[in-house]
């Protein structure tokens, strides 16, 4: 019955005419029959009887089948349309949920605000030089920095850092404070997830991941713990080892070690220089080829300028003992020194 009522209001013009004709004739017939019962006269009986015959005959015409098919088709179409709409609503809801989750991830990770496009804008806006390098600043109490990716560059007076924090900012350090580079071996790692957000960020993660400090496990008072090696620029700007290469290129700073890291009373100045460049090799600041060039310069200087042959031999022996040079290098420069002695 519901489908016929729906057809009366939402069907085609043919369907509406067919159904409404039957309904109207049927209502008139019923009304006339009721009037005849209450004494309206014999004419009303004829009208009621004729209307009934007409309604029954009209409903049995072939038109009824066509209209019935149309109503069923309309119902199926309506149901399909409703299912498609429901499916679209579910799909839209899923997309909205995904978008909300993505927005939550982005808002929770301040590094996700950075893209290749806005990084380029920041580099222009803050007048970062073309000769700039990527660095990781592990910490600085003076400048309130913690686990921060940055760009570094320099001019004649200052060393600059563009800090990519929740809000971009720059710091400028006088070059007079950056002449010396210091080494901090075995800084304690208190949070193994300190660089988690940077690693998970969409753009900065791929850009700065290789500059993040490496951790190594060691025993402290019988307990296993993690440590990292850092370098210190200026007063207390601690940077990761891979960051040092760029800083050294633009500042020409020199590495200095304290007495706990090297016994100067025991070793000569040539040994100290060889030890420092070997340390920079181990920390991957220098590559193997750069190390060869620098160690050759040191050994040549040692052979040519050390006046006492015994001091020369002891220094060469210490370098070999601490694996700063190979036995081939030691033998070569020992022969080189003998040749110089003969010329004298």
């Amino acid at each position: 019955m519901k489908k016929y009522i729906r057809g009366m209001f939402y069907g085609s013009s043919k369907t509406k005419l067919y159904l409404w004709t039957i309904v109207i004739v049927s209502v008139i017939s019923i009304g006339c029959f009721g009037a005849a019962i209450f004494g309206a006269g014999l004419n009303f009986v004829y009208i009621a009887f004729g209307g009934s015959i007409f309604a029954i005959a009209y409903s049995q015409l072939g038109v009824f089948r066509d209209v019935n098919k149309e109503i069923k088709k309309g119902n199926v179409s309506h149901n399909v349309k409703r299912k498609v709409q429901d499916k679209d609503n579910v799909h839209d809801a899923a997309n909205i949920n995904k978008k909300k989750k993505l927005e939550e991830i982005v808002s929770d990770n301040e590094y996700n605000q950075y893209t290749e496009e806005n990084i380029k804008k920041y580099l222009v806006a803050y007048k970062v030089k073309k000769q700039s390098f990527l660095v990781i600043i592990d910490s600085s109490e003076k400048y309130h920095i913690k686990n921060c990716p940055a760009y570094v560059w320099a001019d004649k007076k200052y060393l600059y850092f563009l800090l990519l924090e929740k809000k971009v900012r720059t710091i400028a350090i006088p070059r007079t404070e950056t002449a010396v580079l210091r080494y901090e071996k075995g800084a304690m790692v208190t949070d193994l997830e300190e660089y988690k957000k940077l690693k998970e960020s969409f753009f900065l993660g791929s850009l700065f991941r290789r500059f993040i400090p490496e951790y190594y496990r060691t025993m402290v008072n019988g307990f296993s713990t993690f440590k990292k090696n850092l370098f210190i620029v200026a007063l207390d700007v601690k940077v990761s080892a891979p960051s040092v290469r760029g800083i050294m290129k633009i500042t020409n700073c020199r590495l200095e070690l304290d007495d706990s890291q090297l016994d100067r009373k025991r070793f000569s100045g040539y040994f100290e220089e060889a030890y420092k460049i070997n340390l920079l090799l181990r920390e991957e600041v220098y590559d193997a080829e750069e190390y060869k060039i620098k160690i050759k310069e040191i050994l040549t200087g040692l052979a040519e300028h050390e006046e006492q042959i015994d001091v020369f031999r002891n220094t060469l022996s210490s370098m070999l003992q601490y694996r700063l040079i190979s036995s081939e290098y030691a033998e070569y420069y020992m022969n080189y020194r003998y040749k110089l002695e003969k010329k004298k």
Side-chain angles (χ1 to χ4, degrees):
M1 181 60 68
K2 289 182 180 180
K3 65 181 181 180
Y4 294 111
I5 295 173
R6 190 181 299 114
M8 291 170 62
F9 293 97
Y10 302 107
S12 64
S13 57
K14 182 179 179 181
T15 302
K16 289 179 180 178
L17 177 62
Y18 176 78
L19 293 175
W20 277 107
T21 299
I22 294 174
V23 171
I24 292 171
V25 171
S26 298
V27 170
I28 293 173
S29 298
I30 293 170
C32 290
F33 182 76
I37 293 175
F38 289 103
L42 191 60
N43 291 331
F44 282 90
V45 175
Y46 295 145
I47 295 172
F49 181 74
S52 299
I53 297 297
F54 175 81
I56 293 170
Y58 188 70
S59 65
Q60 298 302 313
L61 293 176
V63 178
F64 178 76
R65 292 181 180 178
D66 297 335
V67 170
N68 202 32
K69 287 180 181 178
E70 182 181 332
I71 292 172
K72 287 183 179 179
K73 184 178 179 182
N75 288 339
V76 172
S77 177
H78 175 76
N79 291 334
V80 170
K81 190 180 293 184
R82 185 173 180 181
K83 287 180 180 179
V84 171
Q85 186 176 4
D86 291 342
K87 188 176 180 181
D88 289 341
N89 290 338
V90 171
H91 184 68
D92 291 341
N95 287 337
I96 290 171
N97 289 333
K98 286 181 181 178
K99 187 176 180 181
K100 284 183 178 179
K101 288 180 181 179
L102 183 60
E103 289 175 351
E104 287 175 0
I105 292 171
V106 171
S107 61
D108 186 53
N109 191 340
E110 62 270 21
Y111 295 124
N112 286 339
Q113 67 180 295
Y114 294 104
T115 63
E116 185 176 359
E117 290 74 20
N118 61 25
I119 284 289
K120 288 179 180 178
K121 291 179 181 178
Y122 289 132
L123 295 178
V124 173
Y126 288 92
K127 299 179 180 179
V128 178
K129 286 188 174 182
K130 287 185 178 181
Q131 191 185 22
S132 61
F133 297 92
L134 303 179
V135 297
I136 290 288
I137 301 178
D138 190 76
S139 65
S140 171
E141 291 186 9
K142 179 179 179 180
Y143 297 102
H144 309 288
I145 305 170
K146 186 69 176 176
N147 311 136
C148 180
Y151 282 81
V152 62
W153 73 101
D155 58 22
K156 292 181 179 180
K157 292 184 177 181
Y158 294 96
L159 178 69
Y160 300 93
F161 289 96
L162 175 66
L163 307 176
L164 304 179
E165 299 173 316
K166 195 169 186 178
K167 290 185 178 180
V168 179
R169 65 182 173 114
T170 59
I171 59 172
I173 304 174
R175 289 288 297 271
T176 53
E177 297 179 12
T178 64
V180 173
L181 183 70
R182 290 172 290 144
Y183 180 60
E184 181 178 1
K185 181 177 176 60
M188 195 74 70
V189 177
T190 58
D191 181 8
L192 289 175
E193 296 188 345
E194 59 185 357
Y195 287 100
K196 182 180 178 181
K197 287 186 177 181
L198 180 57
K199 291 177 181 178
E200 293 178 349
S201 63
F202 302 132
F203 177 67
L204 290 192
S206 60
L207 202 62
F208 284 90
R209 188 173 286 109
R210 66 188 181 92
F211 294 95
I212 294 174
E214 290 188 8
Y215 301 155
Y216 57 91
R217 190 190 297 270
T218 186
M219 298 297 292
V220 178
N221 297 326
F223 294 95
S224 177
T225 188
F226 286 90
K227 292 186 176 183
K228 56 189 173 183
N229 299 333
L230 303 171
F231 288 85
I232 306 171
V233 183
L235 178 65
D236 72 341
V237 180
K238 299 181 180 181
V239 300
S240 66
S243 304
V244 173
R245 186 179 181 88
I247 293 174
M248 293 187 75
K249 280 187 176 181
I250 58 178
T251 62
N252 293 318
C253 59
R254 67 182 185 278
L255 176 63
E256 287 192 359
L257 302 176
D258 58 35
D259 293 336
S260 65
Q261 296 167 332
L262 182 66
D263 187 356
R264 290 181 177 80
K265 294 179 180 179
R266 181 181 176 187
F267 300 108
S268 68
Y270 288 105
F271 179 90
E272 180 180 352
E273 292 304 312
Y275 184 86
K276 288 192 291 188
I277 65 167
N278 183 263
L279 186 154
L280 293 172
L281 173 68
R282 286 185 276 115
E283 294 291 351
E284 299 183 358
V285 178
Y286 290 151
D287 59 30
E289 191 60 34
E290 290 171 320
Y291 180 76
K292 285 181 181 179
I293 294 171
K294 292 183 179 297
I295 197 69
K296 285 180 179 179
E297 291 176 355
I298 293 171
L299 292 172
T300 301
L302 172 64
E304 293 178 352
H305 301 106
E306 178 54 60
E307 296 181 0
Q308 298 181 22
I309 187 66
D310 291 339
V311 174
F312 170 78
R313 287 174 181 168
N314 291 337
T315 303
L316 209 61
S317 177
S318 297
M319 289 183 181
L320 186 60
Q321 180 184 350
Y322 282 86
R323 298 181 181 179
L324 306 183
I325 60 173
S326 63
S327 57
E328 289 79 10
Y329 270 68
E331 184 178 353
Y332 175 85
Y333 281 95
M334 185 64 74
N335 292 331
Y336 180 70
R337 175 59 186 252
Y338 286 150
K339 290 178 182 178
L340 293 177
E341 290 289 332
K342 287 181 180 179
K343 287 182 181 180
K344 293 180 180 178

